[in-house]
Amino acid sequence: MSNNRIFLFSLLICLFSVSLFGQQPEAGQPLLTVLNDIQERYKVQFNYASDLIQNLEVPVPEKNLNLHQCVEFLEVQTGLEFNFISESLISITAKPLLLCGYIRDKDTSEPLPYTTVQSGGNGTISDAVGYFELTVKDPSDVVLIRHIGHQSIRREYRFFNTLNCAPVYLIQDRENLTEIVLSDYLIRGMDKLDNGVFQLDFDKFTILPGLVEGDVLQSVQAFPGIQSIDETVSNINIRGGSHDQNLILWDDIKMYQSGHFFGLISMYNPQITQKVQLQKNGTSAAMTDGVSGTIAMGTEEMINPVLKGSLGINMIDVNGFIDVPLGENTSVQVAGRKAISDLFETPTYSEYFKRIAQDTEIERNLSSVTNTDVAFDFYDASARLLSKPTEKDLFRLNFIHTANQVVFNENAVLEGIEAEKESSIEQKSTAFGLYHTRNWTSDFTTEFSVYQSDYMLRAINANVPQDQRFLQENDVSETGIRAIGRKNLSETLEWGNGYHFVETKVTNLDDVDNPIFRRLIGEVLRTHGLFSEIHWNSQDRRTSFNGGIRVNYLDKFRKFLVEPRISLNHEFLQWFRLEVLGEFKHQNTSQIINFQNDFLGVEKRRWQLSNNDDIPIIRSRQGSLGLSYVRKEWLINAVGFFKGVEGITTQSQGFTDAYEFVKSAGNYDAYGLELLLRKQFNTLNTWLSYGYLQNKYNFPELEEQDFRSNFDIRHTLSGGVTYSAGRFYFALGGNWRTGKPFTAPEANVALTGNQINYGPVNADQLEDYFRLDVSAIYRSKLNDAIGIQAGLSVWNVTNRINSINTFYTLAEQGNPQQVLQESLGITPNATVKILFN
């Protein structure tokens, strides 16, 4: 190559390099450095979160730009928002993200108006064509989209198609076709569904008289036909039935214990128990047990996308609740309560303890024995894990543990020496449950559930003068498995089929150390159930029908039981609704009372299994006919019903007269009428309900075969008024009923030998019962994330002394002496609760 060519080539390379160097832009600098330089140059201050500008680099603004031009330049380069708070203070924030779209049905592509779209504290509703716009703070924020009748979407913002407001499709949810037909039945949050179910939604709940906390099992007693003859949640009577004839479920887990304080308050924490469904009749064929009625409690069915919880204290317990999202598709809820009686004694605690301890060894022992160091405690803990790993699958895992305990020392001086023994009673329940549902297609779903429920009642009754210890235990262990497949045959017709297996083991122990005696009886019963049912709604949604049949096989007795179920609801003449309900049912467990002083008199009932002999299988048949009228905020509802239950025993009915120690099987027939009148105003809600009941026993083997039931409360009247004004809620209500029937000794010949000579069974009646209750709640928001709730209630505000039960004992002089058990006196309660989200 010649020298000229070499020179020319070298020159071109140099020129190209110079050209490249001259076109290279100035290298970027960290945004923090640029901001510091601008602050120094223009004497201003930037306000920002350190992680917002971390790792950001920008070109240096030219020197000839003024302050506002520099800020505009940085906004373009960073995509952040620069806002002048004042001439010398500038705030830097992330630009809000806009999510927009059109909500549509996946099957029909029809728009879905009034769809709720939420993220964090922001929310909106789609318009008539399904369009929505929502501001989101961060790409990782979870967006929740909900529409009635469709499956919800929970998804982070970054996973949405944010270009051109793309359509968002929702899948129809056909798992549950039931709908509300009578809203705000008594108050807001208490509704009636088209299948005859009464539903309490504590998310919408306002206030009931006498309740400052949302007590689950006390609240259901506000419905007509439901009451507790002794004011406890462990003795709820549905249309004249005993408490053991109620099926109590917590997230599909059968529970054998109802309350704390041995029945005075519910053991189910209302913070985690979101909904309660009460069904007196017309139960789904998928359910077994509960010949009188079903109380089904459930936790929240939605995965909460944000952290929320509460912490509160009242005059009985301290309580807490937290709901924690674990990623996009999972959340866990944990709730707990603990009695505060070991810290200090409140007037509420004193009244409760006086109520449960009256006429027991806890309150008064033998004249030579002194009770000391009486202590009472209760607590409960419950948890629920909800996970939706795919759009088609939902998993739920439940756990609950509750405990009650009373401990006291019995002291006596024997032959000049002080002797002391400890008596105690404890009641525990522990249960686990797993539930899974899958939408295989848009019209076929399956459900699978399994649970383990354990209950234990244990008492040590000391007898110091005789140097004796009497140990009693009652244990129930039950396993249940259920599988259901549901097929939508059309838009209005659903067909479900399933299998249900239940294994129940009941163990009873009596153990005496002096003289030595031990009796342990354990029994097991397995039941297999096949069921099929249909659910049909008319196109205009004015008529709904549920019909099913259940076939049960009890393997121990080699016995088949066939049980049909039906519910029909029809709207006519615009304002009227007709309801027809009917069912056949059975159950294999019941509670018996061996002696009135069992378990120190606090909790006398023991669970037992049917043996198909002297303890028969309990079977029921019942039907009801109801008519409702709804117009201009008026609701008038009337229901007539009948119920026949066979297979009951005298031991399960709580006799305290000549039949207290008699073992005999029989039946009862109940029929009656329930009326409700409710009127709503703008801020005022009023209601009045009346119940009429005739309930008669028939025990063929007894001397008197036919007589009034122990739960025959002939007339019941209750009413209330609630007032709401913004954040303040007030309730006042009264309850009146005729007295409980009882058997009195013969007036002329009270004794026969050393025994009380009783007159006709249940021919006498206690005085009428009346109670007036009041409550008030105030709710407020301290800020966007924290709220506060304070409340005050007074149960039996007039302090009326009501006799709820009576029985007779032989006095030292050998004469019959009447013992009256009294209800709660005036009982205040107050609560303060902090809520956060």
Side-chain angles (χ1 to χ4, degrees), residues 656-685:
T656 57
D657 48 33
Y659 298 137
E660 178 178 350
F661 306 111
V662 175
K663 297 181 180 181
S664 182
N667 59 76
Y668 73 85
D669 291 308
Y671 64 89
L673 177 68
E674 297 164 359
L675 298 174
L676 172 70
L677 177 66
R678 187 219 66 200
K679 171 62 177 174
Q680 293 177 329
F681 303 91
N682 289 333
T683 58
L684 205 65
N685 183 70

Side-chain angles (χ1 to χ4, degrees), residues 291-545:
V291 296
S292 264
T294 300
I295 302 173
M297 295 163 282
T299 56
E300 175 62 66
E301 298 175 352
M302 306 289 292
I303 296 176
N304 183 34
V306 296
L307 177 71
K308 68 176 183 178
S310 66
L311 185 64
I313 186 172
N314 55 55
M315 298 174 73
I316 291 295
D317 61 66
V318 60
N319 55 82
F321 165 76
I322 189 168
D323 189 347
V324 184
L326 303 178
E328 177 186 351
N329 299 315
T330 305
S331 71
V332 62
Q333 293 183 340
V334 179
R337 289 183 295 179
K338 169 72 169 63
I340 60 175
S341 54
D342 52 350
L343 300 177
F344 49 86
E345 186 173 313
T346 65
T348 312
Y349 168 84
S350 299
E351 191 65 33
Y352 277 15
F353 194 86
K354 174 184 174 182
R355 164 66 182 80
I356 66 170
Q358 61 179 311
D359 300 310
T360 70
E361 289 184 27
I362 299 174
E363 182 186 54
R364 53 187 178 190
N365 214 319
L366 299 173
S367 58
S368 60
V369 178
T370 304
N371 295 337
T372 60
D373 302 321
V374 181
F376 176 82
D377 189 24
F378 74 80
Y379 65 87
D380 64 63
S382 47
R384 184 232 62 185
L385 175 70
L386 199 64
S387 180
K388 193 174 179 62
T390 71
E391 290 295 333
K392 294 186 175 184
D393 293 281
L394 175 68
F395 289 90
R396 185 183 68 223
L397 182 64
N398 295 91
F399 166 78
I400 187 170
H401 177 72
T402 69
N404 288 265
Q405 185 179 47
V406 176
V407 179
F408 63 96
N409 293 324
E410 300 190 33
N411 307 271
V413 177
L414 305 176
E415 298 179 355
I417 301 175
E418 290 189 3
E420 180 181 272
K421 284 183 178 291
E422 183 182 88
S423 291
S424 65
I425 177 171
E426 58 181 330
Q427 195 177 24
K428 293 182 178 179
S429 288
T430 304
F432 301 87
L434 174 65
Y435 172 86
H436 170 249
T437 181
R438 178 175 175 83
N439 299 314
W440 296 89
T441 65
S442 60
D443 58 7
F444 180 67
T445 64
T446 58
E447 298 177 21
F448 175 80
S449 61
V450 58
Y451 70 83
Q452 175 65 41
S453 181
D454 294 291
Y455 166 80
M456 186 272 289
L457 182 63
R458 185 175 190 269
I460 298 177
N461 194 353
N463 188 329
V464 180
Q466 297 184 18
D467 190 25
Q468 184 185 74
R469 185 268 300 149
F470 183 19
L471 169 65
Q472 302 175 81
E473 285 188 4
N474 178 221
D475 296 280
V476 181
S477 180
E478 181 168 293
T479 303
I481 302 173
R482 184 169 60 189
I484 307 175
R486 303 187 190 276
K487 173 71 173 178
N488 291 292
L489 303 178
S490 68
E491 292 184 1
T492 60
L493 182 62
E494 179 188 85
W495 185 28
N497 298 277
Y499 167 74
H500 193 185
F501 169 78
V502 179
E503 179 185 84
T504 309
K505 180 180 180 180
V506 178
T507 304
N508 281 289
L509 170 67
D510 295 299
D511 188 332
V512 181
D513 65 351
N514 184 26
I516 296 177
F517 171 81
R518 181 179 174 87
R519 179 175 60 190
L520 178 65
I521 301 175
E523 297 177 303
V524 178
L525 183 59
R526 298 178 183 90
T527 304
H528 304 267
L530 291 173
F531 55 88
S532 180
E533 60 184 352
I534 61 170
H535 186 173
W536 174 77
N537 280 333
S538 62
Q539 288 284 357
D540 58 8
R541 313 296 290 183
R542 295 175 59 187
T543 306
S544 67
F545 173 80

